[in-house]
Amino acid sequence: MLIYIDLFYKFAKFPEKKGSLMCGIIGFTGKTDAAPLLLDGLEKLEYRGYDSAGVAILEEESIDVIKSKGKIQDLRNKMAKSHTPTGYIGIGHTRWATHGEPSDENAHPHYSKSRRFAVVHNGIIENFAELKEELIGKGYVFHSETDTEVVAHLLDDCYTGEFFPTVLKAIDRLVGSFSLGILCKDVPDKLVCVKKASPLIIAVSDKGNFIASDITAVLAHTRDIYKMKDDELAILGPDSVQFFDRTGAEIHKDIEKVTWDVDAAEKGGYDHFMIKEIKEQPEAIRKTISPRIDDNNNIVLDGISLTPEQIRGFNRIFITACGSAYHVGVVAKYVIEQMARIPVEVDVASEFRYRYPLVDDKSLVILISQSGETADTLEALRESKKRGARTISIVNVVGSSIASESDDVLYTWAGPEISVATTKAYSTQLTLVYLLAIQFALAAGTITDSAANELVAEIRTLPEKIEKIFEQEEMIARIAERYTYLDHAYFIGRNIDYAVALEASLKLKEISYIHSEAYAAGELKHGTISLIEPGTSVIALCCCERLVEKTISNAKEVMARGAQVLCVATEDNKSCASICDHTIYVPKTHPLLMASLEVVPLQLLGYYTAKSRKCDIDKPRNLAKSVTVE
């Protein structure tokens, strides 16, 4: 049976079926005033990106929550105008909106109905819609669009009269990922935390004990930490920390000494944000697909309200974007056309509205932007709507202009990218393109349910296959050293390999400042091959199985003219190694999903080349993260 997109209306009333992915958590219980420690800790977490902040302080016998849209300074100003609560225990949070508009109401912490509990949360409560309906039926009133408020009310509903048993009972009902910091007004010196699939550490100091989403928040006070594992809980008192598993059985953990400085701590121990974000891609993809694929491999796209009839009514799809997002669009053209048999045009957004595009009410326009504020893409959106087109945006920032003005929106939930050169945003955008393509194909009747199911199952494997590629990191770094004094590089490929070559070339040039170009391999003889001379570096993408022999033939042509060739090939392809100077292997996947894997070693190649050239990797010259002017 087809997975009909009009079933998504069931979820349309719950647009908040998403969680806080890259938010910051801080908590403290000890012997000194908590508020200054919480605010300082939140400021140390600002690099993670956020749009609102808040704290909850247990003051005498009540929990005082103060929160504000905007920056930490806005929260400080709000507290100064009202009052700064005094108490020795509290929790704080910086929120990156992945659901609901940035607002005071959606900011954390969240109260329970009785105000007995206050909660901060990172992650996604995947079954929150069902829990919310149940709690509403019991008389609970919700004041935010977040899944986190469900946790607060659920604690109230599960209250046994004892703090820790209540937490155990409540989390047994939660499905998803959740790091939680919880206060209970009945227990004025204890803080309970839970970790599942979202980062959380505990730190001990002579002032008291902390919880934090990363080490940065506590380095000013201590370097003694405990690392929490998934499905572990802890009870923190001013002078004690106890650890438990999900059954409530106490467990032992060893303390660890942090040797990083603050700068390294922000980067998770990595030298640059870019390499950290490359390594975050498996988890970013998991978070992007997790709430959108059910246990039966059916796709649930929460931000799409198109019916199958509307999809079948489109005579053309336009994809418009800039930079790396445009390269996602080039991949999407190959994937959607082959899968759904709908014609697709891909436009650089800065050119789209100036060519009088043939867009009308039979057109679907997909706009891709990391920031959601890219000026040219925003203008392309407005031009499309003026001409009567239906619009879907794929963006990372909730409440951004492109998201707000589109008919439908899919959020990547990649979390903030600090490095200017995108990696995980690109990968999560690709993932959403795959899901859209499958849905379009099902609506068009161009693939069977079983074929769709197989594709979705293969999408689920992408994170672990990317992790396998990281095993070659040292070898890729050694290859990159050969590029240190390079002046020019050329990337070649066919079909999706060509689309990835565009992105790989951009990665190399934007952070290493090496002149780099990408060409469709079949175009070499139409002029480009005249640039090849002894020592020229050519990177040949050989992952498109049905065209790999043709690309290898092109690689032989440039080698015959003295080029040094690096091949990227699937692990079952041994012919590349016999003709290329170096070969990087990636796991096999479905041919239409290959871009997600073959781009990763080329991201690493660009990174290590720039590192060997001592470039400013996270902030390449003349570039900005979001281009908000034409």
Side-chain angles (χ1 to χ4, degrees):
M1 189 172 74
L2 293 179
I3 308 169
Y4 284 109
I5 297 179
D6 53 355
L7 290 177
F8 299 162
Y9 286 121
K10 173 183 176 184
F11 297 92
K13 60 185 176 181
F14 295 121
E16 65 273 33
K17 187 182 170 66
K18 315 174 190 82
S20 304
L21 301 182
M22 289 295 292
C23 310
I25 285 177
I26 183 74
F28 174 77
T29 177
K31 309 164 187 173
T32 188
D33 199 10
L37 298 176
L38 297 178
L39 290 168
D40 289 347
L42 292 179
E43 286 179 339
K44 297 296 190 300
L45 297 173
E46 284 187 301
Y47 78 94
R48 296 167 67 89
Y50 69 106
D51 50 55
S52 60
V55 296
I57 308 288
L58 208 162
E59 189 175 25
E60 296 181 352
E61 296 182 357
S62 65
I63 301 173
D64 197 346
V65 171
I66 302 176
K67 49 190 183 176
S68 174
K69 175 185 174 182
K71 300 300 182 183
I72 306 296
Q73 189 57 49
D74 296 313
L75 177 62
R76 287 186 182 274
N77 294 342
K78 189 171 184 177
M79 293 171 72
K81 287 179 181 177
S82 54
H83 80 290
T84 300
T86 56
Y88 297 155
I89 182 170
I91 50 179
H93 192 268
T94 52
R95 174 180 182 261
W96 169 269
T98 54
H99 58 279
E101 295 290 335
S103 66
D104 289 5
E105 291 78 13
N106 288 329
H108 297 209
H110 289 284
Y111 276 128
S112 64
K113 179 181 177 180
S114 66
R115 297 206 168 197
R116 175 175 280 113
F117 297 99
V119 179
V120 291
H121 164 227
N122 289 356
I124 303 168
I125 307 300
E126 294 176 15
N127 64 332
F128 100 98
E130 304 94 286
L131 291 172
K132 184 172 183 176
E133 285 188 313
E134 176 188 326
L135 291 164
I136 288 172
K138 293 181 177 181
Y140 287 87
V141 177
F142 285 76
H143 302 282
S144 77
E145 299 174 89
T146 68
D147 53 352
T148 304
E149 193 178 0
V150 166
V151 180
H153 292 316
L154 184 63
L155 287 163
D156 235 12
D157 192 56
C158 293
Y159 189 49
T160 64
E162 296 182 82
F163 187 8
F164 187 65
T166 297
V167 174
L168 287 174
K169 186 177 178 182
I171 64 172
D172 273 346
R173 302 212 48 205
L174 300 180
V175 177
S177 60
F178 44 88
S179 285
L180 303 170
I182 308 168
L183 296 181
C184 177
K185 71 174 185 178
D186 298 341
V187 185
D189 65 343
K190 293 290 192 297
L191 166 62
V192 173
C193 65
V194 184
K195 181 191 183 307
K196 182 180 181 185
S198 195
L200 196 69
I201 58 104
I202 291 173
V204 296
S205 76
D206 55 6
K207 295 178 182 177
N209 297 318
F210 295 85
I211 64 170
S213 49
D214 74 41
I215 293 164
T216 318
V218 297
L219 274 185
H221 309 291
T222 181
R223 292 178 178 270
D224 295 330
I225 68 160
Y226 293 99
K227 291 181 180 176
M228 297 279 283
K229 294 181 179 179
D230 283 352
D231 292 314
E232 291 184 347
L233 299 87
I235 303 174
L236 282 72
D239 300 302
S240 63
V241 182
Q242 294 173 279
F243 297 96
F244 303 86
D245 64 20
R246 284 285 291 266
T247 70
E250 191 164 2
I251 57 178
H252 172 76
K253 296 183 76 67
D254 293 322
I255 206 162
E256 298 182 34
K257 181 75 71 173
V258 176
T259 58
W260 303 341
D261 60 21
V262 172
D263 185 60
E266 289 181 351
K267 298 182 180 75
Y270 294 105
D271 291 339
H272 300 92
F273 281 110
M274 184 179 177
I275 187 64
K276 175 177 180 284
E277 289 160 3
I278 288 171
K279 296 297 187 68
E280 287 174 344
Q281 286 177 113
E283 185 61 21
I285 292 172
R286 288 188 184 102
K287 288 175 177 176
T288 296
I289 65 177
S290 175
R292 290 164 168 147
I293 300 175
D294 68 18
D295 292 340
N296 297 315
N297 283 342
N298 297 321
I299 299 171
V300 181
L301 296 181
D302 49 307
I304 304 296
S305 57
L306 288 171
T307 66
E309 291 74 22
Q310 288 173 311
I311 292 171
R312 290 193 290 270
F314 295 129
N315 59 22
R316 191 170 299 274
I317 295 173
F318 294 82
I319 300 175
T320 185
C322 302
S324 293
Y326 169 78
H327 299 154
V328 172
V330 179
V331 175
K333 174 180 173 66
Y334 289 110
V335 174
I336 294 172
E337 286 190 341
Q338 184 173 331
M339 200 182 298
R341 310 308 296 159
I342 304 172
V344 178
E345 292 187 29
V346 188
D347 277 274
V348 174
S350 57
E351 292 293 317
F352 181 78
R353 66 190 172 113
Y354 297 118
R355 69 172 180 87
Y356 303 106
L358 297 175
V359 173
D360 56 24
D361 60 359
K362 299 294 186 184
S363 305
L364 173 66
V365 179
I366 300 174
L367 307 109
I368 308 175
S369 167
Q370 191 278 141
S371 68
E373 301 294 346
T374 310
D376 291 311
T377 309
L378 180 59
E379 291 304 322
L381 165 65
R382 291 168 177 167
E383 181 72 18
S384 301
K385 291 179 75 70
K386 277 196 297 186
R387 294 172 180 267
R390 182 68 178 247
T391 57
I392 296 175
S393 62
I394 296 176
V395 299
N396 194 35
V397 181
V398 170
S400 58
S401 298
I402 292 172
S404 299
E405 295 186 30
S406 297
D407 296 313
D408 294 300
V409 59
L410 289 172
Y411 292 111
T412 53
W413 310 337
E417 273 191 329
I418 308 301
S419 180
V420 168
T422 183
T423 51
K424 62 180 180 174
Y426 173 89
S427 291
T428 52
Q429 288 164 357
L430 275 182
T431 306
L432 289 178
V433 161
Y434 301 149
L435 298 182
L436 271 178
I438 294 169
Q439 291 294 61
F440 290 168
L442 286 168
T446 53
I447 61 170
T448 64
D449 291 338
S450 61
N453 194 278
E454 288 174 12
L455 273 164
V456 172
E458 189 61 26
I459 290 170
R460 286 183 181 272
T461 71
L462 292 177
E464 64 189 64
K465 288 181 177 178
I466 291 173
E467 287 166 347
K468 187 176 180 182
I469 294 169
F470 294 149
E471 295 172 7
Q472 300 177 80
E473 184 177 358
E474 289 186 13
M475 181 194 74
I476 295 169
R478 289 195 299 272
I479 293 171
E481 290 177 1
R482 299 168 63 94
Y483 288 22
T484 303
Y485 302 105
L486 208 62
D487 293 321
H488 308 280
Y490 300 97
F491 290 77
I492 60 172
R494 292 170 181 262
N495 200 267
I496 287 175
D497 286 348
Y498 168 58
V500 177
L502 292 168
E503 174 61 12
S505 176
L506 176 61
K507 281 292 152 288
L508 183 65
K509 76 176 73 170
E510 70 181 333
I511 60 171
S512 74
Y513 315 140
I514 292 171
H515 168 248
S516 175
E517 301 292 342
Y519 293 98
E523 285 290 290
L524 279 173
K525 288 185 177 179
H526 295 275
T528 311
I529 203 163
S530 67
L531 298 171
I532 304 300
E533 57 187 11
T536 301
S537 287
V538 175
I539 298 91
L541 281 68
C542 300
C543 296
C544 182
E545 189 172 6
R546 61 191 174 90
L547 297 173
V548 68
E549 292 304 323
K550 292 183 179 294
T551 305
I552 289 175
S553 176
N554 298 132
K556 289 178 179 178
E557 289 172 347
V558 296
M559 290 190 78
R561 289 157 178 83
Q564 298 289 312
V565 177
L566 166 65
C567 280
V568 179
T570 53
E571 53 195 6
D572 64 332
N573 179 355
K574 303 307 177 187
S575 56
C576 283
S578 64
I579 63 107
C580 296
D581 297 285
H582 299 283
T583 304
I584 299 171
Y585 291 105
V586 297
K588 286 200 71 172
T589 187
H590 190 286
L592 292 177
L593 309 180
M594 205 65 236
S596 290
L597 301 183
E598 62 184 324
V599 75
V600 176
L602 298 172
Q603 292 170 342
L604 290 168
L605 182 70
Y607 170 78
Y608 280 107
T609 300
K611 189 175 181 182
S612 70
R613 289 165 65 90
K614 303 189 186 311
C615 297
D616 189 350
I617 292 173
D618 288 330
K619 297 178 181 178
R621 65 191 182 203
N622 304 327
L623 297 180
K625 186 64 179 171
S626 178
V627 182
T628 57
V629 295
E630 286 194 77

